Amino acid sequence: LRGGHPATPLPELENFAEQGDLYLDFTRAIGLAMAGQPGRARALVERLAAIDPGWSVAARRYADAGVIPDDPALVSALTPAG
């Protein structure tokens, strides 16, 4: 996801949809958000947070650690509503 166009890895990441790997699903959500699909990204993170509430704060932690840009719109798209 770094260094290239954010939508480039989406087709490959979509191949891993519904595999039960929460980390891959969060990576998919990051790709979706960075590719301008915040609604799909948030819906995916909401599903993850329903399984494990820790995913609710993952975007903020990733941004604080420099893993993703500290962009309010991106962090918001990766944070469940409410």
Side-chain angles (χ1 to χ4, degrees):
L1 295 173
R2 275 193 170 180
H5 189 276
T8 301
L10 282 179
E12 289 81 9
L13 288 171
E14 290 299 329
N15 290 332
F16 294 101
E18 309 303 325
Q19 295 296 312
D21 186 320
L22 303 183
Y23 293 96
L24 277 175
D25 285 343
F26 191 69
T27 301
R28 286 179 46 234
I30 293 168
L32 289 166
M34 292 179 74
Q37 298 180 46
R40 287 186 64 202
R42 184 173 292 113
L44 182 51
V45 175
E46 287 174 349
R47 287 197 304 269
L48 294 173
I51 296 167
D52 180 344
W55 290 107
S56 296
V57 296
R60 179 75 266 151
R61 290 181 179 166
Y62 274 45
D64 289 346
V67 176
I68 61 173
D70 191 3
D71 172 8
L74 177 62
V75 173
S76 177
L78 295 169
T79 302

